[in-house]
Amino acid sequence: DIQMTQSPSSLSASVGDRVTITCRASQSIGSYLNWYQQKPGKAPKLLIYAASSLESGVPSRFSGSGSGTDFTLTITSLQPEDFATYSCQQSYSSPTFGPGTKVDIK
Amino acid sequence: QVQLVQSGAEVKKPGASVKVSCKASGYTFTDYGVSWVRQAPGQGLEWMGWISTYNGNTNIAQNLQGRVTMTADTSTNTVYMELQSLRSDDTALYYCARDYHKAQGAFDFWGQGTVVTVSS
């Protein structure tokens, strides 16, 4: 299985901050990388697919980049509704998810 | 609108089996595969397996092979996931999720989740 790691595991930020989360795969996965947002007690929501494509309806402050083994999710101006946990997922082979990054209020 | 509605919470004893359902609506059922993903308390997401709603083919995660069965009923647009020989570490929130047509292996719609608690 391809292992996914994320950093940091958690971060504290303020409204308006720029936030960057990184995700690393244990082997090259091309651009087969997706990002999800999850709030407590709710199902994950797809934000970014194929490393950098913004899902319909997702605000443009979210962006994704990277290829191969290293990927980044960026939120350019954090909004109150963005406090959540963010997980990456590889879809190059049998899907695996990163452990998540919890973004909370500073 | 696309909806995946799952069955209710379950409490089971170790060694028992559980069967969770996921009823789809708002789209052509056989056009999209469905995966099951679980999340243990305070943990990350774990993909359990996938079923083709078109022909019933499955791909089960290696660590769950032999314990998980996935089936699809095209007459009721419902997918089922049965987990046998339950252990305490199977306690989790179980989700069904639909394949995303724009991206291999991504999931665009999810069920609301079903809590499965394994306790003696």
Side-chain angles (χ1 to χ4, degrees):
Chain A
D1 283 1
I2 297 174
Q3 307 302 316
M4 307 300 293
T5 57
Q6 288 182 233
S7 62
S9 57
S10 65
L11 65 91
S12 296
S14 301
V15 172
D17 283 353
R18 179 185 181 95
V19 168
T20 299
I21 298 168
T22 62
C23 174
R24 177 165 290 175
S26 60
Q27 66 182 73
S28 179
I29 57 172
S31 295
Y32 291 96
L33 192 284
N34 311 300
W35 288 97
Y36 297 86
Q37 176 194 68
Q38 189 176 22
K39 296 182 179 179
K42 298 294 187 181
K45 173 186 175 182
L46 180 64
L47 299 177
I48 302 285
Y49 62 94
S52 60
S53 295
L54 191 67
E55 169 64 340
S56 176
V58 174
S60 59
R61 62 181 179 271
F62 290 92
S63 65
S65 64
S67 66
T69 59
D70 295 318
F71 301 87
T72 299
L73 173 71
T74 300
I75 310 171
T76 53
S77 178
L78 200 65
Q79 297 301 300
E81 61 269 29
D82 300 337
F83 292 98
T85 296
Y86 294 85
S87 299
C88 60
Q89 175 233 336
Q90 65 81 17
S91 51
Y92 179 82
S93 63
S94 293
T96 49
F97 292 84
T101 295
K102 184 177 181 181
V103 177
D104 62 20
I105 302 172
K106 182 183 285 186
Chain B
Q1 71 284 20
V2 174
Q3 280 193 302
L4 299 174
V5 178
Q6 298 181 221
S7 49
E10 302 267 11
V11 179
K12 297 291 184 180
K13 293 192 183 302
S17 298
V18 68
K19 191 170 186 177
V20 181
S21 67
C22 170
K23 184 173 177 59
S25 61
Y27 69 97
T28 301
F29 180 67
T30 51
D31 281 354
Y32 298 84
V34 172
S35 282
W36 288 89
V37 176
R38 68 180 179 178
Q39 187 168 36
Q43 302 300 307
L45 298 160
E46 178 190 11
W47 178 78
M48 301 177 67
W50 169 89
I51 182 167
S52 165
T53 53
Y54 176 74
N55 59 17
N57 287 349
T58 59
N59 177 20
I60 307 299
Q62 193 169 11
N63 65 317
L64 292 170
Q65 286 178 4
R67 290 208 299 139
V68 168
T69 303
M70 296 182 185
T71 55
D73 183 345
T74 56
S75 69
T76 60
N77 290 354
T78 303
V79 174
Y80 298 90
M81 186 283 299
E82 182 174 25
L83 181 59
Q84 302 173 322
S85 302
L86 287 167
R87 311 185 294 239
S88 58
D89 62 356
D90 291 318
T91 294
L93 182 55
Y94 288 74
Y95 293 104
C96 59
R98 192 185 80 161
D99 283 350
Y100 188 32
H101 69 284
K102 291 184 182 178
Q104 169 191 306
F107 311 118
D108 60 351
F109 285 93
W110 295 64
Q112 83 277 18
T114 296
V115 174
V116 174
T117 303
V118 183
S119 173
S120 54

